[in-house]
Amino acid sequence: VCFVLFQNEGIVFGFSSGLCFQHTPPYLAWRYMFGLGAILPVIIVFLAIFVMPDSPRWLLMKGRQDEARRVLKELLYPPPDTDALDEMVADIRDKIATEAQTTADAAAVGWTSFWLVPSIKRMLLVGVGIAVAQQLVGIDAIQYFLVFILDEAGIHSRTEQTLVLIKLGLVKLGCLFVAARLFDTRGRRTLLFVSLGGMTVALCLLSFHFSKTADSSSSSNSGSFAAYALAAYLAFFSLGMGPGAWLIPSEVFSTAIRAKAMAVATTTNRIAAAFMSSTFLTAARVLTWPGFFAVLALVCVFVAILVYAFVPETKGRSLEDMALYFATITRDEQILQLEKQLQLVVAERRERERQEQTSVARTSNTTAVDEGIFVSQHPTATID
């Protein structure tokens, strides 16, 4: 959800930048906006290089323990004492070693298992399917071409278009904060259905509006109806399909396939986004604006049916619970066996590290006792 929040904050800032160039000729305004987009990344790179410290985790991975301890002291308030700092460093090291081993063993699960293991295929159907569906409902395409839609709806003033864009961005952003709370209280499936239902109604309203506009010979329509319909579409998207398309995959993909499966979900999501965005104007011209929005409404209904049939409720359920769920509905326990193998490897590694630490502690104690005995027998001797 945080990723989606930051993304939409950037969208609002992007819409707001139009106010800076509202009196600039259009053929220059978009060039200036692209140039303005390079300023913030430069600032972030500067801060990352000269201000932001390296993370303690990364420093420990590189063997720079002293620097990691110093950064921990600077970041934590009040600064931890030596014993607490040692415990933190040991805990981070243990997590690094465990995750490295888990990742290495998970990598042993080949790509062929994605279409040979029934339980994994069902996981991919849910996780990748919801990621692709997020784009098939038209969000990126509509968002990228909002100015075209507003112009067709009757809002022609650049200043008025920019103000509407900012308001739409704020509505979309504000609903994400609501969704962040509701996802944990109302459940994932409930919000997905609410989201898809609201988007369907909003798209039908847009189709109705453009059909009326097409039949009218007057061009004086203010377009406010279309703006409200677009606001409803974006609001309902943010309540469910926006964050849900990233939340659901992270909760259904088991540890054994998580890295590869998330890569597939992200890639297919962006491919679908590119397809919808690149064909948006052509589809609107071929289908007409009323027909295009009506088709998107039908897509939302189809996605809702698929969610009802395939997407389980993941609220309050662990990855182990989800693995058991998919193993049960597919009658395939291979995913459970893979998870057990990973758990055994992690447990064995932790036990081996515990034994090594115990052995080192015993060696230190034995050395200390031997030195004490030597000193008691030779009080004038010096131990190097």
Side-chain angles (χ1 to χ4, degrees):
V1 175
C2 288
F3 163 74
V4 180
L5 282 173
F6 291 135
Q7 184 184 49
N8 281 272
E9 287 176 4
I11 291 173
V12 173
F13 285 129
F15 288 161
S16 301
S17 67
L19 292 175
C20 302
F21 308 108
Q22 57 181 322
H23 300 300
T24 307
Y27 72 93
L28 289 177
W30 70 269
R31 290 178 169 85
Y32 292 156
M33 292 180 69
F34 269 87
L36 185 64
I39 296 177
L40 185 58
V42 170
I43 295 174
I44 293 176
V45 170
F46 175 84
L47 294 176
I49 294 175
F50 298 104
V51 179
M52 185 183 301
D54 293 319
S55 71
R57 181 187 181 89
W58 183 84
L59 291 170
L60 287 174
M61 290 177 66
K62 299 301 180 181
R64 295 155 63 176
Q65 180 173 328
D66 293 338
E67 294 181 54
R69 294 169 66 91
R70 178 178 56 78
V71 172
L72 282 172
K73 284 184 178 180
E74 293 175 354
L75 295 178
L76 298 176
Y77 183 83
D81 56 29
T82 303
D83 293 337
L85 201 58
D86 291 339
E87 186 177 347
M88 291 180 188
V89 170
D91 183 60
I92 295 174
R93 279 180 165 175
D94 180 62
K95 290 180 179 179
I96 291 173
T98 300
E99 291 175 7
Q101 184 63 46
T102 302
T103 303
D105 287 291
V109 181
W111 290 100
T112 54
S113 63
F114 279 32
W115 58 82
L116 295 179
V117 180
S119 54
I120 293 180
K121 287 196 295 184
R122 187 59 178 260
M123 284 183 181
L124 290 172
L125 175 64
V126 174
V128 176
I130 198 69
V132 174
Q134 184 200 52
Q135 295 301 323
L136 293 183
V137 298
I139 182 60
D140 274 10
I142 290 177
Q143 200 164 246
Y144 293 159
F145 294 98
L146 277 174
V147 172
F148 289 82
I149 298 173
L150 293 175
D151 189 66
E152 289 290 332
I155 301 177
H156 305 297
S157 167
R158 289 177 60 187
T159 301
E160 191 174 355
Q161 287 177 354
T162 302
L163 292 175
V164 171
L165 288 178
I166 294 173
K167 293 175 183 177
L168 292 176
L170 290 174
V171 168
K172 187 169 183 282
L173 177 62
C175 288
L176 283 173
F177 287 96
V178 178
R181 181 175 180 82
L182 293 180
F183 263 109
D184 287 331
T185 58
R186 301 297 182 183
R188 282 60 163 148
R189 278 170 59 92
T190 301
L191 283 185
L192 288 177
F193 288 132
V194 170
S195 175
L196 290 165
M199 291 165 65
T200 301
V201 173
L203 288 168
C204 288
L205 292 175
L206 281 169
S207 178
F208 171 78
H209 170 78
F210 277 101
S211 65
K212 288 295 183 179
T213 303
D215 294 338
S216 174
S217 59
S218 173
S219 60
S220 61
N221 193 308
S222 66
S224 58
F225 183 87
Y228 283 120
L230 286 169
Y233 171 82
L234 295 174
F236 279 107
F237 175 83
S238 293
L239 285 177
M241 286 300 292
W246 299 113
L247 183 61
I248 296 295
S250 69
E251 294 180 333
V252 301
F253 292 146
S254 66
T255 308
I257 65 167
R258 176 178 293 272
K260 289 186 176 70
M262 286 302 296
V264 173
T266 304
T267 302
T268 52
N269 175 276
R270 300 326 300 163
I271 290 175
F275 171 78
M276 293 296 294
S277 301
S278 61
T279 59
F280 178 82
L281 293 178
T282 301
R285 185 167 56 252
V286 172
L287 299 174
T288 70
W289 287 103
F292 179 74
F293 288 119
V295 168
L296 286 182
L298 291 176
V299 171
C300 289
V301 173
F302 179 69
V303 171
I305 294 173
L306 294 181
V307 169
Y308 178 81
F310 295 104
V311 178
E313 179 57 69
T314 59
K315 174 193 171 186
R317 304 176 71 176
S318 65
L319 291 177
E320 291 76 14
D321 293 336
M322 296 311 303
L324 179 60
Y325 167 81
F326 285 107
T328 301
I329 63 174
T330 59
R331 299 179 181 179
D332 171 52
E333 297 188 354
Q334 293 183 67
I335 188 64
L336 297 178
Q337 295 171 1
L338 290 172
E339 289 295 311
K340 288 179 180 178
Q341 291 176 4
L342 287 177
Q343 291 174 3
L344 287 174
V345 168
V346 171
E348 290 174 358
R349 183 179 183 86
R350 287 179 175 174
E351 179 63 22
R352 186 164 58 251
E353 291 178 349
R354 188 188 65 80
Q355 292 176 355
E356 291 175 354
Q357 292 174 358
T358 302
S359 176
V360 170
R362 288 176 178 173
T363 302
S364 300
N365 292 336
T366 301
T367 303
V369 170
D370 292 341
E371 290 177 354
I373 295 173
F374 180 83
V375 170
S376 64
Q377 293 176 353
H378 306 83
T380 58
T382 302
I383 300 175
D384 295 330

